[in-house]
Amino acid sequence: MTLSNATAFAVAAVIVGGAFTALQGPTNARLAGAVASPVNAALISFAVGTLVLAALAAVLRTPPDMEATRALPFWAWLGGAYGAVFVVAAAFAVPRLGVASTITLMIAGQLALSLVLDHFGWLGVPRQPLSLTRVAGVALVLAGVLLVRRP
C-alpha cells in the first residue's frame, strides 16, 4: 500500500503530535507544581500556545475567515475547552499515575468516544458503524492500559 504525500504527511504529523502529547503531561505537571495548580499551568500553557499559533498564522499569512464562523454550530467553538480539560487532567494525573499510564488512559478514553462519534456520525464525522473488529481493537487498548498500570 502506498500513501499519497498528503496522507504520509498527515501520518507523520499525528505521530509527532502524539509524541508531543507525551511531553505535554510532565512539562505541565512540573509547571503546575511551580504555579500551585494544574489549572494555572494549563492557563500558562494555552497562553504560550496562543502566542505560537499567532506567530505561525502571521508567518503563513492565513488570517481566519471570521465571516465563515457565523455559520458554525455552537460545538465547533468548544475545541479549546476540550483541550483545556486534557491539559489540566494530564498535569494533575502525571505526578500521580506516571506518563505512560496517563497517556494510555487518555487514549482509551479517546478511542471509546471515537467509536461512538464514528458510529452515529456525530459532530460531522463520516459515519462508520460499530463492528466487532473495531470494538476488539479498543478492547485490546484497554487491556494495554491494564498492562501498563501493572508494576
Side-chain angles (χ1 to χ4, degrees), residues 98-143:
V99 178
S101 291
T102 298
I103 296 300
T104 54
L105 287 164
M106 287 183 155
I107 291 169
Q110 289 170 352
L111 287 172
L113 183 55
S114 295
L115 286 178
V116 173
L117 293 173
D118 281 351
H119 180 74
F120 292 106
W122 289 343
L123 304 182
V125 301
R127 197 167 179 284
Q128 297 181 37
L130 281 177
S131 69
L132 184 57
T133 305
R134 297 181 89 212
V135 172
V138 171
L140 287 171
V141 172
L142 294 175

Side-chain angles (χ1 to χ4, degrees), residues 24 27-28 30-52 84 87-88 91:
Q24 191 175 33
T27 301
N28 286 325
R30 179 69 184 261
L31 184 58
V35 298
S37 153
V39 173
N40 293 338
L43 179 64
I44 293 167
S45 179
F46 275 86
V48 171
T50 298
L51 292 173
V52 168
V87 171
V88 170

Side-chain angles (χ1 to χ4, degrees), residues 14-99:
V14 171
I15 289 170
V16 170
F20 277 28
T21 299
L23 291 171
Q24 191 175 33
T27 301
N28 286 325
R30 179 69 184 261
L31 184 58
V35 298
S37 153
V39 173
N40 293 338
L43 179 64
I44 293 167
S45 179
F46 275 86
V48 171
T50 298
L51 292 173
V52 168
L53 291 172
L56 185 58
V59 168
L60 296 176
R61 296 187 176 163
T62 54
D65 181 357
M66 296 311 289
E67 188 65 31
T69 64
R70 292 183 184 186
L72 292 173
F74 80 94
W75 52 261
W77 293 92
L78 299 178
Y82 307 146
V85 170
F86 181 91
V87 171
V88 170
F92 179 78
V94 164
R96 292 158 180 83
L97 304 175
V99 178

